[in-house]
Amino acid sequence: AQKITQTQPGMFVQEKEAVTLDCTYDTSDQSYGLFWYKQPSSGEMIFLIYQGSYDEQNATEGRYSLNFQKARKSANLVISASQLGDSAMYFCAMREGSGTGFQKLVFGTGTRLLVSP
Amino acid sequence: DTGVSQDPRHKITKRGQNVTFRCDPISEHNRLYWYRQTLGQGPEFLTYFQNEAQLEKSRLLSDRFSAERPKGSFSTLEIQHTEQGDSAMYLCASSLRQDGYTFGSGTRLTVV
Protein backbone atom coordinates (compact mmCIF):
# COMPACT_ATOMS: atom_id res chain seq x y z
CA ALA A 1 0.00 0.00 0.00
CA GLN A 2 1.20 3.48 -0.83
CA LYS A 3 2.35 5.15 2.34
CA ILE A 4 2.69 8.66 0.91
CA THR A 5 0.46 9.93 -1.88
CA GLN A 6 1.10 13.08 -3.85
CA THR A 7 -1.67 13.37 -6.41
CA GLN A 8 -0.38 16.44 -8.26
CA PRO A 9 2.34 15.53 -10.77
CA GLY A 10 2.71 19.19 -11.69
CA MET A 11 1.59 22.58 -10.43
CA PHE A 12 1.83 26.05 -11.92
CA VAL A 13 1.76 29.28 -9.98
CA GLN A 14 2.48 32.89 -10.74
CA GLU A 15 5.21 34.70 -8.93
CA LYS A 16 4.09 36.24 -5.59
CA GLU A 17 1.03 34.00 -5.34
CA ALA A 18 0.54 31.24 -2.77
CA VAL A 19 0.41 27.57 -3.73
CA THR A 20 -0.60 24.41 -1.88
CA LEU A 21 1.03 21.06 -2.59
CA ASP A 22 -1.00 18.09 -1.45
CA CYS A 23 0.19 15.10 0.56
CA THR A 24 -1.75 12.32 2.20
CA TYR A 25 -0.22 9.53 4.23
CA ASP A 26 -1.11 6.15 5.59
CA THR A 27 0.14 4.76 8.89
CA SER A 28 -1.15 2.87 11.87
CA ASP A 29 1.56 4.28 14.16
CA GLN A 30 0.65 6.92 16.73
CA SER A 31 4.11 8.45 16.56
CA TYR A 32 5.41 9.58 13.20
CA GLY A 33 7.01 12.55 11.50
CA LEU A 34 6.22 14.28 8.24
CA PHE A 35 8.76 16.09 6.11
CA TRP A 36 8.81 18.18 2.98
CA TYR A 37 11.90 18.35 0.78
CA LYS A 38 12.69 20.46 -2.26
CA GLN A 39 14.78 18.98 -5.06
CA PRO A 40 16.07 21.45 -7.67
CA SER A 41 17.52 20.23 -10.94
CA SER A 42 20.94 19.94 -9.26
CA GLY A 43 19.62 16.89 -7.43
CA GLU A 44 20.17 17.82 -3.80
CA MET A 45 17.30 17.16 -1.42
CA ILE A 46 16.77 20.33 0.60
CA PHE A 47 14.88 20.03 3.88
CA LEU A 48 12.02 22.52 4.14
CA ILE A 49 9.78 21.72 7.08
CA TYR A 50 8.96 19.04 9.67
CA GLN A 51 5.76 18.17 11.55
CA GLY A 52 5.62 15.65 14.37
CA SER A 53 2.44 13.69 14.88
CA TYR A 54 2.06 15.00 18.43
CA ASP A 55 2.69 18.63 17.50
CA GLU A 56 -0.48 20.59 18.11
CA GLN A 57 0.54 23.61 16.09
CA ASN A 58 1.08 23.55 12.35
CA ALA A 59 4.76 23.89 11.51
CA THR A 60 6.00 27.07 9.85
CA GLU A 61 9.40 27.97 8.42
CA GLY A 62 9.54 31.34 6.75
CA ARG A 63 7.39 31.21 3.60
CA TYR A 64 6.64 27.53 4.16
CA SER A 65 3.85 26.22 6.33
CA LEU A 66 2.47 22.75 6.77
CA ASN A 67 -1.30 22.34 6.93
CA PHE A 68 -1.50 19.26 9.18
CA GLN A 69 -4.91 17.59 9.38
CA LYS A 70 -4.36 14.47 11.44
CA ALA A 71 -7.86 13.03 11.16
CA ARG A 72 -7.71 13.30 7.37
CA LYS A 73 -4.10 12.11 7.32
CA SER A 74 -3.02 15.01 5.21
CA ALA A 75 0.08 17.20 5.43
CA ASN A 76 -0.13 19.80 2.70
CA LEU A 77 2.70 22.24 2.07
CA VAL A 78 1.76 25.88 1.59
CA ILE A 79 4.28 28.18 -0.04
CA SER A 80 3.37 31.83 0.29
CA ALA A 81 4.59 34.58 -2.03
CA SER A 82 6.11 32.21 -4.59
CA GLN A 83 9.45 33.10 -6.10
CA LEU A 84 11.03 32.00 -9.38
CA GLY A 85 13.61 30.07 -7.37
CA ASP A 86 10.85 27.91 -5.92
CA SER A 87 10.58 26.05 -9.24
CA ALA A 88 11.64 22.49 -8.36
CA MET A 89 10.38 19.03 -7.41
CA TYR A 90 8.78 18.81 -3.99
CA PHE A 91 8.64 15.57 -2.02
CA CYS A 92 6.56 14.69 0.99
CA ALA A 93 8.03 12.01 3.26
CA MET A 94 7.09 10.18 6.44
CA ARG A 95 9.12 8.67 9.24
CA GLU A 96 7.28 6.10 11.29
CA GLY A 97 7.92 5.26 14.92
CA SER A 98 9.93 6.91 17.64
CA GLY A 99 12.72 6.21 20.06
CA THR A 100 16.25 5.19 19.24
CA GLY A 101 15.43 2.38 16.83
CA PHE A 102 15.84 2.97 13.12
CA GLN A 103 12.98 4.36 11.10
CA LYS A 104 13.46 5.06 7.42
CA LEU A 105 11.94 7.89 5.46
CA VAL A 106 9.30 6.89 2.93
CA PHE A 107 8.82 9.36 0.10
CA GLY A 108 5.98 10.18 -2.26
CA THR A 109 6.42 10.48 -6.01
CA GLY A 110 6.75 14.24 -5.88
CA THR A 111 5.12 17.31 -7.38
CA ARG A 112 6.91 19.48 -9.92
CA LEU A 113 6.24 23.16 -9.22
CA LEU A 114 6.77 25.76 -11.90
CA VAL A 115 6.68 29.42 -10.93
CA SER A 116 6.08 31.82 -13.80
CA PRO A 117 6.91 35.55 -13.86
CA ASP B 1 32.06 22.91 3.96
CA THR B 2 29.58 21.67 6.54
CA GLY B 3 27.25 19.76 4.22
CA VAL B 4 27.12 16.16 3.04
CA SER B 5 29.54 15.58 0.15
CA GLN B 6 29.18 12.92 -2.51
CA ASP B 7 31.71 11.94 -5.12
CA PRO B 8 31.53 11.66 -8.06
CA ARG B 9 28.56 13.79 -9.07
CA HIS B 10 28.12 11.86 -12.30
CA LYS B 11 29.30 8.44 -13.40
CA ILE B 12 28.85 6.76 -16.77
CA THR B 13 29.85 3.13 -16.89
CA LYS B 14 29.51 0.18 -19.20
CA ARG B 15 27.27 -2.69 -18.24
CA GLY B 16 29.18 -5.27 -16.26
CA GLN B 17 31.69 -2.85 -14.77
CA ASN B 18 32.04 -2.16 -11.05
CA VAL B 19 31.50 1.31 -9.62
CA THR B 20 32.12 2.84 -6.22
CA PHE B 21 30.62 5.99 -4.77
CA ARG B 22 31.78 7.91 -1.73
CA CYS B 23 29.82 9.89 0.85
CA ASP B 24 31.31 12.22 3.45
CA PRO B 25 28.65 13.05 6.05
CA ILE B 26 28.50 16.03 8.37
CA SER B 27 31.32 15.35 10.81
CA GLU B 28 29.31 15.12 14.03
CA HIS B 29 26.55 12.97 12.50
CA ASN B 30 26.72 9.35 13.60
CA ARG B 31 23.88 8.11 11.35
CA LEU B 32 24.35 7.67 7.62
CA TYR B 33 21.85 6.56 5.00
CA TRP B 34 21.91 5.60 1.33
CA TYR B 35 18.87 6.10 -0.87
CA ARG B 36 18.29 5.45 -4.56
CA GLN B 37 16.08 7.60 -6.78
CA THR B 38 14.98 6.50 -10.22
CA LEU B 39 13.45 8.83 -12.80
CA GLY B 40 10.04 10.13 -11.81
CA GLN B 41 10.12 8.57 -8.36
CA GLY B 42 10.92 9.63 -4.85
CA PRO B 43 14.04 8.32 -3.11
CA GLU B 44 13.92 4.74 -1.79
CA PHE B 45 15.85 3.55 1.22
CA LEU B 46 18.84 1.27 0.62
CA THR B 47 20.84 1.01 3.82
CA TYR B 48 21.60 2.63 7.19
CA PHE B 49 24.70 2.92 9.35
CA GLN B 50 24.99 3.98 12.94
CA ASN B 51 28.65 4.79 13.42
CA GLU B 52 30.48 1.94 11.63
CA ALA B 53 27.71 -0.64 12.04
CA GLN B 54 25.39 -1.36 9.13
CA LEU B 55 22.11 -1.85 10.96
CA GLU B 56 19.52 -1.96 8.20
CA LYS B 57 19.48 -3.11 4.59
CA SER B 58 16.61 -2.88 2.15
CA ARG B 59 15.55 -5.77 -0.05
CA LEU B 60 16.49 -3.40 -2.90
CA LEU B 61 20.12 -3.95 -1.96
CA SER B 62 20.92 -7.04 -3.99
CA ASP B 63 24.08 -9.13 -3.55
CA ARG B 64 25.78 -6.95 -6.14
CA PHE B 65 25.59 -3.98 -3.80
CA SER B 66 27.83 -3.50 -0.80
CA ALA B 67 28.18 -0.54 1.52
CA GLU B 68 30.79 0.18 4.14
CA ARG B 69 31.54 2.81 6.72
CA PRO B 70 34.84 1.52 8.10
CA LYS B 71 35.69 4.18 10.66
CA GLY B 72 32.27 5.59 11.27
CA SER B 73 33.01 8.61 9.12
CA PHE B 74 32.83 8.42 5.31
CA SER B 75 30.93 5.65 3.55
CA THR B 76 31.28 3.88 0.22
CA LEU B 77 28.64 2.18 -1.89
CA GLU B 78 29.91 -0.32 -4.45
CA ILE B 79 27.89 -1.89 -7.23
CA GLN B 80 29.43 -4.91 -8.92
CA HIS B 81 28.57 -6.08 -12.43
CA THR B 82 26.38 -3.07 -13.11
CA GLU B 83 23.15 -3.49 -15.02
CA GLN B 84 21.11 -0.91 -16.93
CA GLY B 85 18.49 -1.06 -14.18
CA ASP B 86 21.06 0.32 -11.76
CA SER B 87 20.92 3.69 -13.54
CA ALA B 88 19.64 6.11 -10.93
CA MET B 89 20.57 8.91 -8.57
CA TYR B 90 22.26 7.59 -5.43
CA LEU B 91 21.69 9.89 -2.50
CA CYS B 92 23.51 9.88 0.81
CA ALA B 93 22.15 11.51 3.96
CA SER B 94 23.38 11.90 7.50
CA SER B 95 21.79 12.81 10.81
CA LEU B 96 22.41 13.08 14.51
CA ARG B 97 18.78 12.47 15.40
CA GLN B 98 15.93 10.83 13.54
CA ASP B 99 14.36 14.08 12.43
CA GLY B 100 17.47 15.83 11.17
CA TYR B 101 18.33 14.30 7.81
CA THR B 102 20.73 16.27 5.62
CA PHE B 103 21.11 14.98 2.07
CA GLY B 104 24.03 15.33 -0.29
CA SER B 105 23.73 16.32 -3.94
CA GLY B 106 23.80 12.72 -5.06
CA THR B 107 25.73 10.66 -7.59
CA ARG B 108 23.95 10.18 -10.89
CA LEU B 109 24.83 6.79 -12.38
CA THR B 110 24.23 5.95 -16.02
CA VAL B 111 24.88 2.38 -17.14
CA VAL B 112 25.24 2.05 -20.91
Side-chain angles (χ1 to χ4, degrees), chain A residues 47-64:
Chain A
F47 167 75
L48 296 178
I49 197 166
Y50 168 78
Q51 178 87 40
S53 57
Y54 293 121
D55 295 341
E56 294 185 353
Q57 303 268 5
N58 284 347
T60 60
E61 290 284 349
R63 295 186 298 112
Y64 305 107

Side-chain angles (χ1 to χ4, degrees), chain A residues 54-113:
Chain A
Y54 293 121
D55 295 341
E56 294 185 353
Q57 303 268 5
N58 284 347
T60 60
E61 290 284 349
R63 295 186 298 112
Y64 305 107
S65 60
L66 200 152
N67 184 0
F68 181 45
Q69 298 188 41
K70 198 169 181 176
R72 296 180 60 187
K73 293 189 175 178
S74 75
N76 298 339
L77 177 70
V78 180
I79 305 175
S80 62
S82 298
Q83 301 172 356
L84 296 178
D86 293 335
S87 294
M89 284 291 289
Y90 288 80
F91 290 94
C92 179
M94 177 174 65
R95 170 183 55 76
E96 293 180 295
S98 62
T100 57
F102 167 70
Q103 299 94 35
K104 66 184 178 187
L105 286 185
V106 177
F107 287 83
T109 52
T111 296
R112 182 171 296 282
L113 176 66

Side-chain angles (χ1 to χ4, degrees), chain B residues 30-49:
Chain B
N30 61 341
R31 300 170 191 246
L32 187 146
Y33 317 82
W34 285 97
Y35 282 75
R36 182 173 72 183
Q37 185 179 20
T38 53
L39 207 59
Q41 300 296 319
E44 295 174 292
F45 168 74
L46 290 179
T47 190
Y48 159 65
F49 290 86

Side-chain angles (χ1 to χ4, degrees), chain B:
Chain B
D1 186 4
T2 58
V4 176
S5 299
Q6 291 190 246
D7 184 69
R9 290 295 310 277
H10 304 274
K11 178 72 178 177
I12 300 174
T13 191
K14 290 185 177 179
R15 193 175 51 180
Q17 297 292 307
N18 300 344
V19 294
T20 300
F21 311 140
R22 178 181 169 120
C23 171
D24 286 90
I26 293 173
S27 57
E28 61 265 29
H29 286 183
N30 61 341
R31 300 170 191 246
L32 187 146
Y33 317 82
W34 285 97
Y35 282 75
R36 182 173 72 183
Q37 185 179 20
T38 53
L39 207 59
Q41 300 296 319
E44 295 174 292
F45 168 74
L46 290 179
T47 190
Y48 159 65
F49 290 86
Q50 186 162 327
N51 301 310
E52 66 275 9
Q54 188 175 19
L55 298 183
E56 288 285 336
K57 288 171 63 173
S58 162
R59 284 175 294 177
L60 292 175
L61 215 64
S62 75
D63 292 344
R64 297 184 297 105
F65 288 70
S66 62
E68 294 182 342
R69 193 183 183 198
K71 296 181 181 178
S73 56
F74 74 91
S75 175
T76 58
L77 178 67
E78 180 183 16
I79 309 174
Q80 294 185 326
H81 313 301
T82 51
E83 301 172 355
Q84 286 190 318
D86 297 332
S87 294
M89 174 79 89
Y90 290 84
L91 291 159
C92 177
S94 69
S95 73
L96 194 56
R97 301 181 313 274
Q98 291 284 0
D99 56 351
Y101 274 57
T102 302
F103 280 87
S105 297
T107 293
R108 188 176 297 280
L109 173 67
T110 304
V111 181
V112 297

